[in-house]
Structures are given as structure tokens and as C-alpha cells.
Amino acid sequence: MIVWTVANQKGGVGKTTTTVALAGLLAEQGKRVLCIDTDPHASLTYYFGIDSESLESGSFDVFSAGKAVSADLMRRSILPTQFKHLSVMPATMALATLDRKLGTQDGMGLVLKRGLAMVADDFDYVLIDVPPVLGVLMVNALACCQRVLIPVQTEFLALKGLERMMRTLTLIHKSRGENYAYTIIPTLYDKRTNASLQTYKKLIARYGRSVWNGMIPIDTKFRDASNEQLTPSAYAPKSRGVLAYQSLLTNLKQLEER
């Protein structure tokens, strides 16, 4: 089971779109895919047409179980979607209370890792959508992944969010001794603007080979797909945005095979 965490400490950079787009493409390839929503805003949950406030269980229940997390709870917290091979563990606003209620409890940073180990035979890929805040949710998502995918909007302020994210990875490495493989993904690229081009050049100059050598363009088909609650590849398989994500997925698979 391969786990990718989609994270950045800035909102609006394309985390949920990246999660859904890659998950949809993998599912179309016959891979058993689980998307996990750990963001209290529950954008990923709503994307798949799930009402986060009427759930019997979800990611909040998994985290609340702490060390007592079980395979049964994990499976009860996972829902099918309308897409073959694609499941989701939904989120609720209650996730916003986790740091205050449970953040200091021993072992809270490894709950998701323990839970996923119990259902490892059920899925080929897991993609985790993470809120843009360093806390118990992000720590959990980082602790259980093989690679961090960091979408970065190609505009100046997004570079500041990336700097915070890189400091977080360094901080967790120092405290836990864990190295994280990561791929920086330029998103919302607008070839008509000098700002996008200059930001892309700065990304390459600062982070070199850690930056994917393509970019995800601005594409209105992403918004349209979201409105229809369809993965981008199901809604517009030949759109430029989907073709870009196909290229990204090919690259990520090659990295995992090394």
C-alpha cells in the first residue's frame, strides 16, 4: 500500500483538487484507492457528495479512538463513492477540536499509521488531504506516508507557505528522525502572466529536482467537475488539467519504483 500525503501550510493551492484528480486516475487504472479527509472544512468529503454532518463515523472517530483504533472502526469509517475502486474516509467540523481535546495524549501522532496498517490489504493507494495547519492531523498524515505531495500555487505569496511547510518537515525530521520524500507540484499556472513564470523559476532555483518538471495549469474544468461531483478525469478526460495530472502521476509512479 502506497500512501501519499497532500499538504501545504497555505490554503487555496490545489490540495483537494490534486487529491481527487490523482485518486480518480488511479481508480480508472484499476487501483483500489482510499482518500482520507483530515480537514475540518471537509472539502474532499463534500466533493464526493457526502454530508459531513450526518455521518455515523469518519476520520474524527478514528482519531478519537487513539491507541484503541481497530480494523473494524477503520472499515466502518470508510465509505464507497460512485466511482469504482474509489473510497473515502470523510471528515467533520469536529476535527477542529482534536488538538485541544486530544493533542497532548501519548501516541496521538501515530493513530492513522496504526489504523492504515490494519487495512493495508484493502487498498493499493491512500491519498490524505491535510488542513494547512501544523497540528495533530498534519503530524498523523506525515507519519504514515511514503511521500509528501506539496501543491504550490505559482504566485509569490504561495512561496511563503512552502517555506513554512519545508520548516515543518525539517522540524519533524529533527524530533522523530524521519526523512520525508517529497515532490513540489506547481499549480494554478497561468502562462499568460509573468508572475506565474517567475514563481516557477524561483521554485526550480530553490528546490531543484524536488520540483516536478511540469505544472498544473489553471483549468475551469476543475471547477466544473467539482460542481458535478465528478473526478476531473471522469468529467473532462482530455482537458489540459487532466493531461497534466496524468503526467504527474506517471512521474510519481516512477519515483516510487526507484
Side-chain angles (χ1 to χ4, degrees), residues 18 22 149-153 183-187 212 216 245 248 252:
T18 296
L22 291 175
L149 309 184
I150 311 176
V152 180
Q153 183 180 358
T183 297
I184 297 169
I185 305 166
T187 60
W212 173 51
I216 306 299
Y245 274 115
L248 171 63
L252 292 173

Side-chain angles (χ1 to χ4, degrees), residues 10-241:
K10 183 182 184 303
V13 296
K15 293 189 297 295
T16 300
T17 298
T18 296
T19 302
V20 174
L22 291 175
L25 289 168
L26 285 165
E28 288 171 7
Q29 294 173 7
K31 304 299 184 183
R32 300 167 301 164
V33 184
L34 170 62
C35 291
I36 299 179
D37 194 350
T38 65
D39 192 332
H41 290 109
S43 296
L44 179 67
T45 299
Y46 287 119
Y47 194 110
F48 288 111
I50 299 169
D51 182 359
S52 73
E53 301 310 315
S54 62
L55 297 171
E56 292 186 7
S57 60
S59 57
F60 175 76
D61 302 274
V62 169
F63 287 114
S64 296
K67 290 183 177 180
V69 65
S70 65
D72 178 65
L73 175 58
M74 288 292 293
R75 293 190 173 102
R76 283 192 285 111
S77 301
I78 294 170
L79 302 178
T81 70
Q82 62 174 302
F83 305 100
K84 188 177 180 181
H85 305 305
L86 180 53
S87 302
V88 62
M89 181 184 286
T92 66
M93 279 296 293
L95 285 169
T97 67
L98 273 180
D99 277 291
R100 177 169 49 86
K101 289 182 177 179
L102 304 170
T104 59
Q105 287 189 13
D106 184 48
M108 274 302 295
L110 297 174
V111 174
L112 194 55
K113 184 174 184 177
R114 292 193 196 98
L116 285 176
M118 297 173 183
V119 295
D121 292 337
D122 295 354
F123 301 100
D124 301 305
Y125 284 85
V126 177
L127 289 92
I128 308 173
D129 192 12
V130 183
V133 179
L134 177 57
V136 68
L137 295 168
M138 182 177 287
V139 169
N140 266 269
L142 292 175
C144 63
C145 71
Q146 285 87 35
R147 180 172 297 274
V148 185
L149 309 184
I150 311 176
V152 180
Q153 183 180 358
T154 46
E155 59 100 28
F156 176 72
L157 290 179
L159 293 178
K160 297 299 180 182
L162 176 58
E163 290 172 5
R164 288 193 295 273
M165 189 69 221
M166 299 310 296
R167 286 197 295 270
T168 293
L169 294 181
T170 300
L171 178 66
I172 295 178
H173 167 64
K174 288 181 178 179
S175 64
R176 298 194 173 207
E178 297 177 5
N179 271 322
Y180 292 99
Y182 62 89
T183 297
I184 297 169
I185 305 166
T187 60
L188 296 167
Y189 184 81
D190 187 346
K191 64 181 181 181
R192 299 167 300 178
T193 67
N194 186 56
S196 277
L197 177 59
Q198 293 305 316
T199 302
Y200 181 75
K201 287 181 176 179
K202 287 179 181 178
L203 282 173
I204 297 297
R206 293 183 189 180
Y207 301 102
R209 293 184 179 180
S210 295
V211 182
W212 173 51
N213 63 358
M215 63 280 290
I216 306 299
I218 289 178
D219 190 338
T220 57
K221 292 292 190 290
F222 292 145
R223 182 178 63 246
D224 296 339
S226 174
N227 290 338
E228 297 296 327
Q229 297 178 337
L230 295 172
T231 63
S233 53
Y235 181 80
K238 300 300 181 182
S239 65
R240 59 182 181 173

